Amino acid sequence: MTMLDNGAARVRFAPSPTGHLHLGGLRTALFDWLWARKTGGKFILRIEDTDRKRYEPESVASLMRGLAWLGLNWDEGPDVGGPHAPYVQSERQKVYKDHAQDLIDRGRAYRCYCSPERLETMRQEQRRQRIRTGYDRRCRDLSADEKAAREAEGQPWVVRFAVPEDGVTVFTDLLRGEVQVDNRQLQDEVILKADGLPTYHLAAMVDDHLMQITHVLRGEEWLATAPLHRLIVDAFGWDMPVLVHLPVILDPSGKGKMSKRKKTVAGKEYLALVHEFQDAGYLPDAMFNFLTNVGWNYDPVEEVFSREEAIERFQLEEINPSAAALPYEKLDWLNSLYIRALKPEALKSALIPFLSRQLALPEAELAGDLRLDILVPVIQERIKRLDEAADWLDWAFQDAEEIDYNEPKLLIGRKMDAGGSIEMLQAGASLLKSVEPFAAEPIQRAFRERADELEVKAGSFFGPIRGAISGKKVSPPLFESIEALGREETLRRIGRAKLALERLEAEEG
Ligand code: GLU
């Protein structure tokens, strides 16, 4: 295969606004963007909204948010305009009508008056006879009189493309090479519907031509209709853009095609929609790295790279045409790396909207909260997603009364009983009353010394204290947690925990 000429490309991402963007769509847009940036070309956003039955108005904004989140800025599009505006197909109706008429005038398309009822009867009959279903071309060769009669009756019509009855159509896919298809396999597809709007086959070909698109990256599901597209482009006498059919992304089971629904495999729920990944706290840079390596490979070894490095190396020819399932674990791993690489203040800012939502606290209050300044750096290495922070930090924002000490195991030190654990809480409390300054380091030192004096293992000493302040078995590092909570609140919690253990002792005693 010859290397592509890397001249300035014009590529478009052309989603249909029929719901939220899923990761497969975002990957297509990412490859478009990489190619545009690599070649110093243009990345164009075009909204293909001619299927009014499936149209969902909110999805345009949602698509744009998803692209912007990943940093895929577009040079031409509905909001930013451009030399080929409008970039929304429903606003270009006349363009398609004129082009459909042009094909009729060239004898390459025709008005079809067949009613939906007739088409249904025809299909049933074809099934009964076990022959291939498809339009029987009844209107293709109507005489002038027959046409005039139907028009006079005001019969509704669609426009169909007249596929050659024999011969072969050849097109080239950059990843698969030359593909030949027998024209007898092809149908006279509808290109303009009764509502006056085009189908994808006409609209996309016309727009790709008028918008001077050089490379079409689209889902593999369009391979089957690519011969028809080739015929339409030829009928107009235009050149075909370079076609790159991108491999399907499989769901985590590796069996089905990824859909817009969440998928549960072996009890684990996998996300599919871009805004779900956003809400779960994946960082755009991690997602960028991850998706760039889905179907293409930056490097056999290096997994982490910058946008500039990706742009530099990206090559369309290197895209792997076989379907692949998303390696979700890798995304988590990458995300944790990117979280670790953030400056603590940046991580704090990124976490605030999550904590605000999950802990029901105002963002402004969290922004000024000193507890976060102490605790964010110590959970930084412990979270894979931003939405995991709330679980690590919720105890710090609760009142002492809200901490649940009903699970006594939480407060009992390793190899200890309730009595021994009460002693540990007391020892801790007396120490915390006097330690100065009240900061993680001195607190830690005092605790370790005391553990030696008492001849108890650090773990046995610290366990009850951890349970007392957090109400949890697993929580962020103890001494930072104590510092964050402050002397008074820590002592209050230890006091309550002690009471709980005393009650337990009395009940058991
Ligand atoms: N509107 C089509 C889709 O969403 C676009 C396919 C293409 O990129 O040509 O599948």
Side-chain angles (χ1 to χ4, degrees):
M1 200 178 293
T2 52
M3 285 302 267
L4 281 178
D5 159 21
N6 287 3
R10 289 182 54 84
V11 285
R12 85 298 188 277
F13 179 53
S16 300
T18 54
H20 292 292
L21 186 59
H22 71 61
L23 229 48
L26 189 63
R27 200 271 312 260
T28 303
L30 170 62
F31 284 7
D32 278 326
W33 183 89
L34 283 169
W35 189 241
R37 295 296 168 256
K38 172 164 192 104
T39 60
K42 296 278 187 256
F43 174 51
I44 295 145
L45 176 62
R46 183 171 80 214
I47 303 297
E48 301 204 326
D49 60 345
T50 59
D51 185 347
R52 303 313 283 180
K53 288 195 211 85
R54 293 175 59 220
Y55 177 64
E56 284 186 29
E58 334 71 68
S59 55
V60 176
S62 158
L63 286 161
M64 289 188 179
R65 272 198 304 275
L67 299 178
W69 173 68
L70 202 69
L72 308 183
N73 56 319
W74 50 99
D75 308 300
E76 297 171 28
D79 52 344
V80 294
H84 306 283
Y87 292 88
V88 177
Q89 288 188 329
S90 60
E91 294 168 19
R92 300 169 62 80
Q93 213 161 330
K94 181 160 181 339
V95 175
Y96 311 118
K97 268 199 170 146
D98 291 349
H99 279 84
Q101 187 57 47
D102 183 18
L103 285 180
I104 294 177
D105 297 343
R106 290 165 187 253
R108 299 305 307 273
Y110 57 94
R111 283 189 184 184
C112 166
Y113 304 89
C114 293
S115 66
E117 296 72 32
R118 176 188 176 250
L119 294 176
E120 185 48 36
T121 316
M122 173 199 77
R123 268 191 291 268
Q124 280 174 12
E125 182 57 23
Q126 287 167 336
R127 273 194 288 265
R128 203 185 56 76
Q129 291 186 33
R130 296 182 188 282
I131 56 174
R132 211 158 66 90
T133 56
Y135 183 55
D136 59 6
R137 298 179 171 164
R138 179 171 173 178
C139 293
R140 182 159 161 160
D141 297 308
L142 293 180
S143 67
D145 285 351
E146 286 169 317
K147 270 186 225 165
R150 284 168 167 80
E151 294 288 335
E153 275 176 35
Q155 284 190 14
W157 47 266
V158 300
V159 178
R160 288 181 185 272
F161 184 74
V163 164
E165 281 168 277
D166 43 34
V168 291
T169 296
V170 183
F171 71 93
T172 306
D173 172 274
L174 185 72
L175 310 178
R176 296 164 182 81
E178 203 176 87
V179 181
Q180 290 203 9
V181 180
D182 186 331
N183 289 337
R184 281 171 301 189
Q185 304 287 327
L186 304 176
Q187 303 273 349
D188 284 2
E189 300 289 350
V190 173
I191 56 173
L192 196 77
K193 295 175 287 181
D195 62 5
L197 284 166
T199 58
Y200 170 79
H201 308 306
L202 179 66
M205 296 316 112
V206 167
D207 285 348
D208 287 345
H209 172 70
L210 296 178
M211 297 179 180
Q212 298 172 353
I213 300 303
T214 57
H215 298 74
V216 168
L217 278 64
R218 61 181 185 181
E220 202 175 29
E221 66 271 21
W222 295 109
L223 252 182
T225 37
L228 173 73
H229 300 154
R230 167 90 223 215
L231 287 168
I232 292 175
V233 167
D234 283 353
F236 282 116
W238 300 334
D239 287 331
M240 209 53 193
V242 175
L243 287 182
V244 188
H245 290 95
L246 298 176
V248 165
I249 293 184
L250 300 175
D251 69 29
S253 72
K255 290 185 196 122
K257 200 175 134 181
M258 188 158 92
S259 72
K260 297 187 176 181
R261 266 190 225 109
K262 271 195 198 131
K263 180 101 190 177
T264 308
V265 177
K268 192 167 161 31
E269 208 176 57
Y270 291 90
L271 308 179
L273 300 176
V274 175
H275 71 85
E276 293 168 346
F277 287 91
Q278 225 172 322
D279 289 347
Y282 288 98
L283 300 179
D285 285 341
M287 184 57 94
F288 185 99
N289 248 235
F290 173 71
L291 273 187
T292 300
N293 264 342
V294 174
W296 180 70
N297 197 240
Y298 173 77
D299 186 272
V301 189
E302 268 174 85
E303 302 261 17
V304 184
F305 44 85
S306 69
R307 286 166 197 249
E308 292 67 36
E309 287 169 321
I311 291 169
E312 171 83 32
R313 279 204 205 169
F314 185 70
Q315 281 298 347
L316 287 177
E317 288 101 327
E318 293 171 3
I319 295 171
N320 182 342
S322 32
L326 288 176
Y328 281 82
E329 312 69 45
K330 195 182 265 179
L331 174 61
D332 282 351
W333 171 75
L334 274 170
N335 206 49
S336 61
L337 289 188
Y338 276 93
I339 287 177
R340 271 180 230 183
L342 288 176
K343 294 228 170 60
E345 314 82 74
L347 178 57
K348 179 179 166 182
S349 316
L351 285 175
I352 284 174
F354 287 83
L355 294 172
S356 167
R357 183 161 32 99
Q358 292 171 285
L359 304 178
L361 292 168
E363 291 198 11
E365 200 177 305
L366 288 166
D369 198 307
L370 297 179
R371 285 172 289 192
L372 283 184
D373 294 330
I374 300 168
L375 292 172
V376 165
V378 297
I379 62 160
Q380 188 155 12
E381 296 207 347
R382 292 172 163 77
I383 54 173
K384 297 191 297 297
R385 298 162 31 158
L386 300 182
D387 70 348
E388 291 169 358
D391 240 10
W392 283 101
L393 300 178
D394 52 357
W395 58 271
F397 296 91
Q398 289 166 339
D399 291 329
E401 292 67 35
E402 290 174 79
I403 305 276
D404 181 9
Y405 299 119
N406 287 328
E407 176 55 76
K409 265 193 255 138
L410 214 70
L411 297 172
I412 297 192
R414 222 181 298 146
K415 299 198 183 135
M416 273 191 178
D417 58 8
S421 304
I422 291 173
E423 279 173 38
M424 295 301 105
L425 289 176
Q426 268 165 341
S430 73
L431 209 155
L432 288 168
K433 270 180 205 143
S434 57
V435 65
E436 285 302 341
F438 198 83
E441 265 303 306
I443 297 172
Q444 154 139 252
R445 220 173 309 120
F447 266 86
R448 297 210 183 268
E449 280 165 17
R450 195 83 184 98
D452 287 345
E453 286 161 25
L454 294 170
E455 295 182 5
V456 291
K457 285 242 157 52
S460 312
F461 189 11
F462 302 167
I465 309 280
R466 176 187 301 283
I469 66 163
S470 68
K472 293 183 175 212
K473 258 246 121 36
V474 181
S475 63
L478 183 58
F479 304 106
E480 280 80 1
S481 300
I482 293 175
E483 179 187 343
L485 214 48
R487 197 187 314 261
E488 213 177 302
E489 180 63 16
T490 307
L491 290 171
R492 190 176 303 134
R493 292 187 186 191
I494 292 179
R496 296 195 72 240
K498 198 167 135 260
L499 285 176
L501 277 181
E502 285 165 358
R503 265 198 311 277
L504 178 78
E505 237 194 348
E507 278 164 26
E508 285 181 350

